[in-house]
Amino acid sequence: MPDARFFTTSAPLGLDDLVALTGGEVVRRSGATVSRVAPLAEADAACVAFMADRKFAAALSASGAGVVLVPPSAVEAAPAGAAVIVSREPQAAWARVAAQLHRPIALEAAIGSDVCEDDTVVLEPGVVVGRGARIGRGSRIGASTVIGPGVQIGRDCAIGPGASVGFALIGDRVKIYAGARIGEAGFGAAGAAGGPVDIPQLGRVILQDGVTVGANTCIDRGAYGDTVVGENTKIDNLVQIAHNCIIGRNCLIAAHTGISGSCTVGDNVMFGGQAGIGDHLSIGDGARVAGGAGVLADIPAGETWSGYPAKPIRQFLREAVWLARQANRKKD
């Protein structure tokens, strides 16, 4: 369920409402009404879920969703108790339902005394704080920063000027430097006949105690779950962390690193500048990624990888030396 501090949920929708929204066709009816969207694995009888790829057929069959949106080829795999709507673009259809059911709460400025734990909180000139937000003792919010509705900020935090923080839960002693963007919508779009459809991003960002976020860095909220940055991780300027990433504790992430969606990064991992990480990858505890590396495969714990595509550094160096020798031989 999307966090009620950040999203409103509209009245439940029946099958006819869903058909009108999606343009699909009901091939199995039930008395179900849905009040929220969810992924297949997390859905219950009040949810609508979708399957767009046959590799999720097992998850579809095991889903507890009340209504499923599926392509014509997947009807037989639908769970027995669910109503089934057929669509040639099920993910886009699900996105339209999500946008109807769950909407971000609009920013309305709160009174400082309503959101600050006590008078040790400093709001510099031009700060806007949304209703339902809370800022802990000893924290300082820089000039012209926007704190969205419902955001929770811990104690002794420092947020620089011109930053924005939304859809987020922030621990104690967190530093967020100027211009950082925390909790913006992650990049998600579904193909549709009329062009790509934005997929609503219904998750949050969680920054645990002691995290540092550099200037103009972007950390996107989750698509449905959360984007999490573990305790004491230090992030440089101009870093991109995409939706649904889980970053461990005590990591160091240098400038211009880009971590694609749904990556899992262990504890004590180091990223050199301009490292690029493909989506849905796992980086083990204590691994190191050299500057400029392009990671397209999982990295085991404790290993150092370099190059593009990235590989264990000894292998990368051997190949680089061999290529240099071959080039020199041709010159001779």
Side-chain angles (χ1 to χ4, degrees):
M1 183 73 176
D3 194 323
R5 288 172 288 193
F6 307 123
F7 298 94
T8 61
T9 297
S10 67
L13 301 174
L15 282 181
D16 291 339
D17 299 318
L18 295 174
V19 168
L21 275 172
T22 65
E25 177 185 357
V26 179
V27 297
R28 185 198 299 164
R29 283 192 169 269
S30 73
T33 60
V34 295
S35 57
R36 55 189 181 272
V37 299
L40 287 167
E42 299 179 30
D44 59 27
C47 295
V48 57
F50 78 95
M51 191 204 81
D53 191 307
R54 73 178 89 185
K55 69 182 179 182
F56 297 111
L60 172 63
S61 298
S63 181
V67 179
V68 291
L69 296 157
V70 299
S73 60
V75 172
E76 296 301 321
V84 181
I85 298 176
V86 168
S87 171
R88 297 193 178 277
E89 43 190 51
Q91 187 177 24
W94 185 87
R96 294 184 182 104
V97 175
Q100 178 66 32
L101 283 173
H102 306 295
R103 298 182 180 180
I105 293 174
L107 176 64
E108 296 183 18
I111 299 171
S113 59
D114 291 340
V115 297
C116 298
E117 183 175 352
D118 60 26
D119 58 9
T120 65
V121 175
V122 176
L123 304 180
E124 294 182 359
V127 170
V128 177
V129 183
R131 291 184 180 178
R134 190 68 176 168
I135 303 172
R137 185 179 64 218
S139 291
R140 187 180 192 95
I141 313 300
S144 300
T145 283
V146 177
I147 307 298
V151 169
Q152 308 295 299
I153 297 174
R155 295 177 173 177
D156 300 313
C157 293
I159 300 180
S164 61
V165 182
F167 308 90
L169 307 178
I170 309 296
D172 297 336
R173 304 179 306 284
V174 171
K175 296 178 182 178
I176 299 173
Y177 291 121
R181 304 294 176 219
I182 310 300
E184 291 297 322
F187 181 66
V197 175
D198 287 327
I199 299 172
Q201 305 290 288
L202 303 175
R204 308 173 298 185
V205 171
I206 298 175
L207 303 184
Q208 296 181 353
D209 295 348
V211 167
T212 298
V213 178
N216 295 312
T217 281
C218 297
I219 303 177
D220 296 339
R221 66 180 184 264
Y224 191 82
D226 295 324
T227 300
V228 180
V229 179
E231 294 177 3
N232 205 46
T233 283
K234 308 302 180 184
I235 302 170
D236 199 358
N237 303 335
L238 294 166
V239 169
Q240 163 67 23
I241 297 177
H243 59 190
N244 300 341
C245 286
I246 306 296
I247 310 296
R249 297 168 294 182
N250 302 311
C251 295
L252 298 175
I253 305 177
H256 293 278
T257 291
I259 303 178
S260 300
S262 300
C263 286
T264 300
V265 176
D267 297 339
N268 304 299
V269 174
M270 297 175 64
F271 295 89
Q274 293 188 325
I277 315 301
D279 60 284
H280 292 82
L281 297 182
S282 177
I283 313 296
D285 291 348
R288 292 175 172 82
V289 179
V295 179
L296 303 178
D298 294 345
I299 299 181
E303 293 194 3
T304 300
W305 282 33
S306 185
Y308 187 93
K311 58 196 69 176
I313 193 165
R314 289 183 182 275
Q315 179 184 349
F316 167 74
L317 292 174
R318 284 197 302 268
E319 292 176 359
V321 169
W322 183 87
L323 286 171
R325 286 175 177 168
Q326 299 307 306
N328 289 332
R329 284 177 184 173
K330 288 183 178 180
K331 289 179 182 178
D332 296 339

